[in-house]
Amino acid sequence: MGSLTVLKKYKHTFFLLLLCSGPAMAGIPGAGSPADTLALTLDEAVATALKNSYEIEIAKNNVEANTILNNYGVAGGLPTVALNATNTEQITQVYQKLNNGTEISRNAAAGNNTQVNLAAGMLLYNGRRVVATKKRLAELQYQSAEVLNSQIQNTIALVMTSYYDVVRQLSYINTIRTSIVASEKRLEILRVRKEAGMANNADIFQAEIDLNTLNQTLLNQQMVAQVAKTELLRTLTLDPKSAVTIKDTITVDNNMQLASVLDRLAANADIQAADHQIRINELIVRETAALRYPTVRFNAAYNFSRNQTAAGFTLLNRVVGPQAGITLAVPIYNGSAFKRQRQAAEIDTKNAHLQKNTLMRDYSANAVKMYQTYQSSIEQLETQKKNYSLSKQLLDLTLQRFELIQATIIDVREAQRSFEEAGYRLINLNYAAKAAEIELKRISNTLQ
């Protein structure tokens, strides 16, 4: 997707601050985080990043600068006009002896010399170097636009990954809270039993230890979630101390195909920029080759010259008038510098091809690796959702049996452990699949 299209997509959501609702992750129940000052959706986060990103602003400025430089005048193809003026005052000692026997001798003779020149020049021919330079300037402009597009894609990918990392961390909190509810229920049952003389202090102490451990785990996870929020705020170029709440789900696109991603690698902004670099280097070869051709320039000027002295044979000399002419410069020998510059430019062109091939190789390998992660996560996701649902049912059932004295404390703790592990695996699989999807779309230039 082009940089302008992406910016237009999000321009209407730059200043929206909408409240959104829903569990932190589909299929995982639990209370969300407490309401904070700023509620962010994904679209708002992306729009804020596109608006505030320093990196995007720098890339936009580079596009603007290269657009300004893309001009025939910068390439040397337009006429030049210059006005030059000098005025010199002097005091001299004059001694002249003329052929008629007259002698002139004077000390401290004042003199004045004034020169004014309005000159214009026009390049007529220089081996089409101007044409090559103008095309190179255009390629630099196009390349900077692709760099901007790449920066936009990278920023969107970074924001989405950071945003869903916050969702992941909040989902861990929900899982821990559900387990805490189970531990509180277990402790409540044991206290009722103790009052009836059916439980001992050891069981209660162990239940309290388990509950305290879960509460400590919750505090640690809340800290991790807050760190993830701070990183997201940094990505959005917002005050890292800002209070923010996110309530969202991780929804994975299940229809991505590796073949379509690989087919679109050529549309990647970095690959496009590498293509432009190849053309830039090819045009530099043409520019350096043109140095060996003759240069023809048309020159015209209007001159004013006034020379006045207080003594001497000529007391006043004034010349006014136009002039015009053609200058031909033919390079004959300069120590083979032009030839060597062209050879070096040709090597740079070969390197540009190799750099593009390297990018294609790396992006292809990265696409395959990301797709393997994506496919593996998708394949495991459905099974893990069932495991999570079963583990939740098992925890509820074990608590009921524990209340009826049909299950032991060990059974409850094992059910809790299974539930927590199933929740963590489900969250991680969901996040891994989404992160791989984001990277695949970034690589194929389809992120939006």
Side-chain angles (χ1 to χ4, degrees), residues 275-350:
D275 276 331
H276 288 299
Q277 187 61 53
I278 292 173
R279 288 192 282 273
I280 288 169
N281 288 357
E282 290 172 345
L283 290 165
I284 292 175
V285 172
R286 290 170 57 181
E287 288 182 65
T288 53
L291 292 172
R292 305 176 65 183
Y293 285 84
T295 300
V296 181
R297 295 187 66 88
F298 171 76
N299 302 299
Y302 191 87
N303 301 310
F304 172 83
S305 175
R306 184 178 184 276
N307 189 7
Q308 182 179 6
T309 60
F313 184 75
T314 303
L315 300 181
L316 177 65
N317 182 36
R318 188 176 68 180
V319 177
V320 179
Q323 69 180 49
I326 292 180
T327 302
L328 172 65
V330 181
I332 296 176
Y333 180 73
N334 71 336
S336 72
F338 294 158
K339 178 181 178 181
R340 295 178 184 276
Q341 288 175 10
R342 179 177 180 178
Q343 290 173 341
E346 289 173 344
I347 293 174
D348 289 340
T349 303
K350 292 179 182 178

Side-chain angles (χ1 to χ4, degrees), residues 387-399:
N387 286 344
Y388 175 80
S389 177
L390 290 173
S391 66
K392 182 63 172 65
Q393 294 177 44
L394 175 62
L395 178 59
D396 293 339
L397 179 60
T398 304
L399 282 172

Side-chain angles (χ1 to χ4, degrees), residues 15-288:
F15 303 106
L16 288 178
L17 296 174
L18 303 177
L19 293 176
C20 55
S21 60
M25 178 175 171
I28 297 183
S33 59
D36 295 320
T37 303
L38 176 64
L40 271 183
T41 66
L42 178 60
D43 283 349
E44 291 163 5
V46 172
T48 302
L50 293 178
K51 174 178 176 287
N52 295 340
S53 171
Y54 296 137
E55 293 81 3
I56 290 178
E57 192 65 28
I58 291 171
K60 286 168 63 178
N61 290 339
N62 289 336
V63 172
E64 184 178 357
N66 285 318
T67 301
I68 293 171
L69 292 174
N70 183 17
N71 180 270
Y72 269 106
V74 177
L78 296 181
T80 58
V81 180
L83 176 65
N84 303 297
T86 61
N87 182 68
T88 305
E89 299 287 343
Q90 60 184 2
I91 297 177
T92 60
Q93 182 182 33
V94 179
Y95 177 77
Q96 292 179 331
K97 187 174 183 180
L98 307 182
N99 58 5
N100 60 2
T102 303
E103 292 186 8
I104 301 173
S105 178
R106 186 168 179 181
N107 290 326
N112 173 266
N113 182 274
T114 302
Q115 303 283 338
V116 180
N117 172 266
L118 180 63
M122 177 69 183
L123 179 68
L124 301 179
Y125 178 77
N126 70 341
R128 295 180 62 81
R129 189 181 183 200
V130 168
V131 176
T133 302
K134 177 62 174 66
K135 290 181 178 179
R136 177 173 61 83
L137 294 173
E139 289 296 333
L140 284 170
Q141 178 185 343
Y142 303 147
Q143 184 186 52
S144 61
E146 291 299 339
V147 172
L148 171 60
N149 186 20
S150 174
Q151 186 59 58
I152 290 173
Q153 293 286 310
N154 293 341
T155 300
I156 294 175
L158 179 60
V159 170
M160 294 179 73
T161 303
S162 298
Y163 180 89
Y164 284 120
D165 184 45
V166 174
V167 174
R168 174 176 62 159
Q169 302 304 333
L170 295 177
S171 299
Y172 290 155
I173 290 176
N174 290 337
T175 299
I176 295 171
R177 281 176 173 163
T178 303
S179 187
I180 287 175
V181 170
S183 291
E184 290 173 342
K185 180 68 175 177
R186 172 162 55 111
L187 181 58
E188 179 186 349
I189 293 171
L190 287 172
R191 284 173 176 168
V192 171
R193 286 185 186 177
K194 185 175 183 300
E195 291 177 357
M198 300 173 62
N200 55 46
N201 287 332
D203 292 338
I204 293 178
F205 292 160
Q206 184 61 58
E208 289 178 343
I209 291 172
D210 292 342
L211 179 58
N212 291 338
T213 300
L214 278 174
N215 282 324
Q216 185 63 43
T217 302
L218 176 62
L219 291 175
N220 290 335
Q221 184 55 41
Q222 287 174 336
M223 179 197 67
V224 173
Q226 190 57 48
V227 170
K229 287 183 180 182
T230 302
E231 177 61 22
L232 175 61
L233 290 170
R234 184 198 68 82
T235 304
L236 303 182
T237 318
L238 296 176
D239 184 358
K241 300 187 297 295
S242 299
V244 62
T245 184
I246 293 176
K247 298 180 182 180
D248 210 336
T249 60
I250 299 179
T251 305
V252 182
D253 181 359
N254 297 326
N255 300 318
M256 298 199 68
Q257 299 296 325
L258 179 60
S260 62
V261 173
L262 294 176
D263 288 343
R264 286 194 54 83
L265 281 183
N268 180 275
D270 293 335
I271 303 298
Q272 291 288 320
D275 276 331
H276 288 299
Q277 187 61 53
I278 292 173
R279 288 192 282 273
I280 288 169
N281 288 357
E282 290 172 345
L283 290 165
I284 292 175
V285 172
R286 290 170 57 181
E287 288 182 65
T288 53

